[in-house]
Amino acid sequence: MGNPGPSAVPIELTDAERAWLHGLTAGASELAGRVKSVLACAESGASNAQVARDLGMSVATVRRWRTAFAQGEGTPCSTGPGRDGQRPS
């Protein structure tokens, strides 16, 4: 049996955050992909591996954006984790 990876960081979204993020998912841009990964990670029980498979991303990319968003260190609008985005409060 395989060794499970580290536990995924939970993401809890307010209604305002969820609406804001859904508004950013249009198109096939890099931003839309990051937003879709954050929204998918916010679903109950979503693993990084499953989100990565569903969206055609690497697990490392999903983990990076999930962690950055959950810790308030970045947003999907940022150019990278640790950048200041325009996340609603």
Side-chain angles (χ1 to χ4, degrees):
M1 187 163 206
N3 185 13
S7 295
V9 178
I11 293 180
E12 294 183 22
L13 298 174
T14 65
D15 290 341
E17 287 173 323
R18 191 173 296 276
W20 173 67
L21 290 170
H22 275 291
L24 299 174
T25 60
S29 68
E30 184 178 331
L31 170 62
R34 290 187 290 219
V35 170
K36 288 174 186 176
S37 73
V38 169
L39 286 167
C41 287
E43 296 301 317
S44 179
S47 71
N48 292 333
Q50 185 62 51
V51 171
R53 276 192 299 275
D54 291 349
L55 298 178
M57 298 178 163
S58 73
V59 174
T61 297
V62 171
R63 184 182 307 117
R64 177 175 55 243
W65 286 106
R66 176 184 212 137
T67 301
F69 191 87
Q71 294 177 348
E73 295 174 355
T75 70
C77 289
S78 306
T79 57
R83 304 290 176 139
D84 185 25
Q86 305 228 348
R87 184 176 178 175
S89 40

